[in-house]
Amino acid sequence: MDFQTKVELPTGSPLISHSERILLMGSCFAENIGSLLAENKFRVDMNPFGILYNPLSVSAALVEILKGKVYQEKDLFLYKECWHSPMHHGSFSASSPEGVLQKINARLSQAHRSVHELDWLMLTFGTAYVYEQKETRQVVSNCHKLSESHFNRRILSVDEIVNEYTSLITSIVARNSGLKILFTVSPIRHIRDGMHANQLSKSTLLLAIDRLQQRFPEHVFYFPSYEIVLDELRDYRFYADDMLHPSPMTVRYLWERFSETFFSAETKQLITAVEDISRDLSHKPFHPESEAYQRFLGQIVLKIERLNGKYPYLDFQKEKELCHIRLNP
């Protein structure tokens, strides 16, 4: 007996390899998958603006990365003794404008240097609801707990999202004809306005992405993370304590389904080899000064060197430094 309805995975999608450059942007689900890609030594840049939830904020951030914008103090505002950027997550906020600008511009510069060499752009939309500043009519990425009286809140239309991304994708692909764009919709539920409003929001995102796939069939792809959680994992045991976010087990399950869709047999073997090195390094010896443990560390270094010999783009710098520290206490 089968007690699970399997979601049909996309077929014929391009495969993702360790040699390719990947930029992930969007909601915290982008960080879930992005963190696993990074752990497994894929070449990733993740959320240069921090977590972004709505499509217009993601597109605005991408435009600023493409242009190489440099932030200035006039782009920030002071609230409750902290300086903030309305385009950035609160992790960029600081007690001085200099502190905020240093963090923002360093990340923007890093993303700008590689954006035109990307192989994959992975975008996760969380909600179709946006907050617009009343004075400027600009959509903000983060309200930073300012009073709602400063904003108008509304839901985007399918046409708004499609028109925005049609222009953006056309511009990006003109510069990088080989770019692949993978959209996902976050399975995290936004229930502030109730379950029905959340479904309307998610449906808007799904319809917009489907239209973009039809317009750009050679460049735009979709992974059904939202559907997998709702249909394959229909139980609250697959959620975190807030009953809204996916649990770590669910993230691992989505990673497995993602792997089925986008990884070749060789890529999966390489992931296994990377996991073996990580597992070896996490081993805590009873006698770290023993010759046996020193030989064990030496074997890890050899494994890294063999992998780097075959795949020179894998970054094992931290692992090498850790081995060196343990070999020379």
Side-chain angles (χ1 to χ4, degrees):
M1 298 176 69
D2 189 355
F3 292 100
Q4 189 181 55
T5 305
K6 283 282 187 179
V7 172
E8 183 179 347
L9 295 174
T11 58
S13 298
L15 298 179
I16 301 168
S17 72
H18 283 80
S19 63
E20 294 179 305
R21 295 183 181 274
I22 305 167
L23 172 62
L24 299 102
M25 296 180 67
S27 81
C28 43
F29 179 73
E31 300 218 332
N32 294 147
I33 293 298
S35 295
L36 287 166
L37 286 167
E39 285 176 19
N40 286 285
K41 301 303 178 183
F42 288 83
R43 304 168 79 183
V44 302
D45 189 359
M46 186 165 53
N47 270 343
F49 283 70
I51 295 169
L52 302 172
Y53 297 99
N54 73 79
L56 293 193
S57 289
V58 173
S59 65
L62 270 169
V63 169
E64 292 189 356
I65 292 171
L66 289 164
K67 291 182 176 178
K69 175 172 177 172
V70 177
Y71 270 70
Q72 302 175 26
E73 188 171 332
K74 66 180 181 180
D75 299 310
L76 311 179
F77 67 92
L78 178 65
Y79 180 64
K80 290 190 174 179
E81 301 182 0
C82 262
W83 289 85
H84 311 275
S85 160
M87 276 293 295
H88 289 75
H89 187 264
S91 58
F92 286 87
S93 300
S95 58
S96 69
E98 294 80 12
V100 180
L101 293 173
Q102 192 280 326
K103 288 190 283 187
I104 286 176
N105 288 326
R107 284 296 283 118
L108 258 174
S109 175
Q110 176 188 340
H112 175 70
R113 286 196 300 270
S114 61
V115 69
H116 298 298
E117 300 174 356
L118 291 177
D119 298 286
W120 283 93
L121 178 61
M122 300 184 183
L123 306 179
T124 299
F125 294 159
T127 179
Y129 283 97
V130 297
Y131 285 87
E132 290 178 337
Q133 289 178 327
K134 287 184 176 179
E135 292 183 2
T136 64
R137 301 296 298 274
Q138 293 296 309
V139 172
V140 300
S141 300
N142 199 306
C143 297
H144 298 289
K145 299 183 179 180
L146 278 170
S147 168
E148 288 196 20
S149 62
H150 291 85
F151 306 97
N152 291 317
R153 187 170 186 265
R154 67 179 182 89
I155 189 169
L156 299 172
S157 69
V158 173
D159 285 340
E160 277 184 279
I161 300 170
V162 171
N163 291 339
E164 175 73 17
Y165 277 84
T166 295
S167 175
L168 179 63
I169 292 170
T170 300
S171 174
I172 296 176
V173 169
R175 301 184 184 186
N176 183 353
S177 60
L179 181 67
K180 282 111 30 196
I181 304 169
L182 178 63
F183 285 99
T184 60
V185 172
S186 171
I188 299 167
R189 294 173 296 166
H190 295 251
I191 62 166
R192 171 179 172 169
D193 295 320
M195 289 297 187
H196 180 63
N198 175 70
Q199 290 297 85
L200 292 175
S201 169
K202 300 292 188 183
S203 298
T204 299
L205 301 175
L206 291 167
L207 287 167
I209 292 169
D210 185 66
R211 292 254 296 272
L212 291 169
Q213 278 189 282
Q214 294 176 35
R215 290 193 180 184
F216 302 95
E218 295 182 359
H219 295 280
V220 172
F221 306 91
Y222 177 70
F223 177 70
S225 54
Y226 177 75
E227 294 86 343
I228 289 170
V229 173
L230 263 68
D231 286 298
E232 291 188 20
L233 308 177
R234 296 184 184 181
D235 193 305
Y236 278 109
R237 66 196 166 105
F238 295 111
Y239 287 84
D241 290 346
D242 63 3
M243 298 299 165
L244 301 174
H245 289 72
S247 69
M249 178 172 59
T250 299
V251 173
R252 292 300 305 185
Y253 182 79
L254 287 169
W255 172 251
E256 289 177 9
R257 299 290 271 154
F258 186 87
S259 301
E260 290 177 47
T261 308
F262 294 107
F263 296 158
S264 67
E266 181 183 6
T267 299
K268 291 176 184 177
Q269 290 175 354
L270 184 49
I271 288 172
T272 299
V274 170
E275 289 175 343
D276 286 344
I277 291 171
S278 296
R279 185 168 52 252
D280 288 346
L281 280 171
S282 66
H283 172 70
K284 295 182 179 179
F286 288 112
H287 304 289
E289 301 85 7
S290 67
E291 289 186 12
Y293 183 62
Q294 298 296 301
R295 286 195 300 272
F296 178 72
L297 290 173
Q299 290 299 314
I300 296 175
V301 173
L302 284 175
K303 287 182 182 179
I304 291 173
E305 290 175 349
R306 289 194 193 103
L307 277 181
N308 268 153
K310 191 173 182 180
Y311 308 101
Y313 40 78
L314 297 180
D315 183 5
F316 282 106
Q317 187 60 36
K318 291 181 180 178
E319 288 80 1
K320 289 178 181 177
E321 290 175 357
L322 183 57
C323 286
H324 179 75
I325 291 170
R326 292 180 179 178
L327 282 166
N328 302 278

